[in-house]
Amino acid sequence: MLHPVVLARPTRGAGASSALNQYAFSGTLAVQDITCDFTSGTSASRVATRLSGSAESDAFLFALCTTPVGPRQTGAFGFPEIPSTGGGPDVDASAWVFISLPLLEDLRVLEANITLDASIAPLPGEWSEEASDAWEASLSLVDDLSAKLQRHIRQVWVTHSPGVACPREIESAGYRRAFTELQAKVRLADAVAQAHLAYDLKFPDSVAHEMATLYTAASAGLPRGELILDTIAWSPQRIIDASKRLRDKGGEQITAYDVVGGHVVAFSEVMRFAGAEESVIELGATYVLDGFRGRGFGRKVMMAAIQEARKRWPEVSVGYTSYPAASKEISHLNKELGEEVISATTAWQKL
């Protein structure tokens, strides 16, 4: 039997606790085992930022321990609480469950990522009874939280090697495969393209409404398979709020966009975050409005964003991108950059 504990809200300015470092290490090791790429992974500081929550989403991290913890303060949902910052003891965790709760849309959805602790995690594609028990306990915790929160759409996201099956315990627990996206590494070759540029989501007033309209269209048109998701309704104020959250998280972003006849018809994003590998950037969304596809706008804004990123951050040399497996357009653009697919993530859904 495994015993859940919840990590406390981070204390601003305090260093990561032993437990939070343990989770970040296990998550990074798991991803690197899958991708065979040493720059993949996360950091304790980025996890702490997510656990701080925002107006857009809330987050909780649980450790499933092999032995009960000693007398502890009661934390979220009535579980014993351990520190996430400011030191604290090691925990004998077998698994970690990271819960995300959207607060603006998708109020019926509970998102979960399950990570086996490095102490018991088998190699990708392998199985052990201990790992199976950890998966079953983690999925049971997700069900428990779903009932307590009355968020009955459960979506468990599992990163795995392309072509390797996900743990069988997920399907046995009543989940069904709903959506798959691919993660790829691309080369940041010299690019020559001209487009309008915005930094950290700070757009000129003249295009703020246009960008909000395009972001909403991108949300509505995103391939999502069988996933139940609401369309994000963007507004100029919501973009301003997102810009503040980006800065609060230590993020920087470049958005390249193109205007035709006074209307924004395409955009592409790149970003990076404090604490990440300096040579790495993340390629965000690229979207072209219906009626303008097949005319080179997607390539133009993507290359313009990459070109500006290399000027602004000369130390970067590689980009990571994640996109729906069904998106042929993005795959085609990435192939121009010599993409190497290094992992896949499948969303499993249970109603």
Side-chain angles (χ1 to χ4, degrees):
M1 179 179 180
L2 296 178
H3 307 272
V5 298
V6 64
L7 273 70
R9 294 284 188 194
T11 301
R12 184 178 292 274
S17 69
S18 178
L20 192 63
N21 279 314
Q22 187 177 337
Y23 168 68
F25 174 78
S26 293
T28 295
L29 183 64
V31 170
Q32 290 182 358
D33 280 347
I34 291 167
T35 64
C36 299
D37 185 88
F38 75 93
T39 59
S40 300
T42 189
S43 66
S45 61
R46 288 191 68 175
V47 178
T49 298
R50 291 193 63 190
L51 290 178
S52 298
S54 69
E56 184 179 42
S57 65
D58 209 351
F60 300 90
L61 177 60
F62 294 85
L64 277 69
C65 301
T66 56
T67 57
V69 299
R72 292 282 177 180
Q73 178 178 327
T74 299
F77 314 109
F79 290 100
E81 184 178 83
I82 61 174
S84 62
T85 50
D90 292 338
V91 294
D92 59 342
S94 289
W96 304 84
V97 180
F98 193 100
I99 299 293
S100 297
L101 304 176
L103 298 179
L104 300 180
E105 289 90 12
D106 301 314
L107 299 181
R108 300 173 297 160
V109 173
L110 181 151
E111 301 174 355
N113 291 85
I114 296 170
T115 302
L116 299 189
D117 192 76
S119 61
I120 72 160
L123 292 174
E126 294 186 356
W127 178 91
S128 73
E129 185 172 351
E130 192 174 18
S132 181
D133 290 344
W135 270 103
E136 290 175 358
S138 298
L139 292 167
S140 178
L141 174 63
V142 171
D143 285 345
D144 181 30
L145 295 170
S146 171
K148 287 181 177 179
L149 292 163
Q150 297 188 11
R151 288 182 176 242
H152 300 301
I153 301 174
R154 285 147 284 183
Q155 296 171 351
V156 176
W157 294 76
V158 182
T159 299
H160 54 95
S161 300
V164 173
C166 290
R168 58 195 183 192
E169 290 78 14
I170 298 176
E171 199 163 10
S172 299
Y175 287 83
R176 296 293 176 264
R177 188 187 303 267
F179 173 74
T180 297
E181 62 184 16
L182 302 176
Q183 290 81 46
K185 183 166 62 173
V186 299
R187 298 190 303 270
L188 299 183
D190 291 334
V192 179
Q194 296 297 318
H196 299 275
L197 298 169
Y199 303 94
D200 302 334
L201 292 170
K202 296 177 182 178
F203 295 99
D205 292 343
S206 58
V207 299
H209 282 280
E210 290 284 333
M211 289 304 305
T213 299
L214 199 59
Y215 281 149
T216 301
S219 174
L222 179 72
R224 60 188 68 181
E226 301 300 318
L227 275 182
I228 299 173
L229 294 173
D230 297 332
T231 295
I232 300 175
W234 285 90
S235 67
Q237 183 59 50
R238 187 161 182 173
I239 295 176
I240 292 171
D241 294 341
S243 174
K244 182 179 184 304
R245 287 195 300 273
L246 176 73
R247 296 193 302 275
D248 288 345
K249 294 176 182 177
E252 300 176 85
Q253 180 169 315
I254 298 168
T255 305
Y257 61 96
D258 210 358
V259 179
V260 176
H263 298 287
V264 181
V265 300
F267 72 86
S268 186
E269 304 166 334
V270 298
M271 68 279 294
R272 70 175 187 174
F273 293 89
E277 176 71 31
E278 288 189 354
S279 63
V280 170
I281 57 171
E282 299 177 20
L283 278 61
T286 295
Y287 181 77
V288 180
L289 195 65
D290 285 346
F292 293 87
R293 296 177 184 172
R295 295 161 58 180
F297 287 104
R299 184 184 188 282
K300 180 180 179 182
V301 291
M302 178 184 278
M303 296 304 174
I306 291 173
Q307 175 180 269
E308 183 62 16
R310 298 200 69 189
K311 290 180 181 177
R312 192 178 190 190
W313 308 311
E315 65 273 20
V316 302
S317 59
V318 64
Y320 286 87
T321 179
S322 182
Y323 61 93
S327 178
K328 296 180 180 178
E329 295 84 0
I330 297 298
S331 178
H332 178 75
L333 288 172
N334 288 340
K335 281 182 170 57
E336 286 196 40
L337 298 171
E339 77 163 4
E340 175 191 354
V341 175
I342 56 176
S343 62
T345 299
T346 296
W348 293 80
Q349 184 167 264
K350 181 179 180 180
L351 307 181

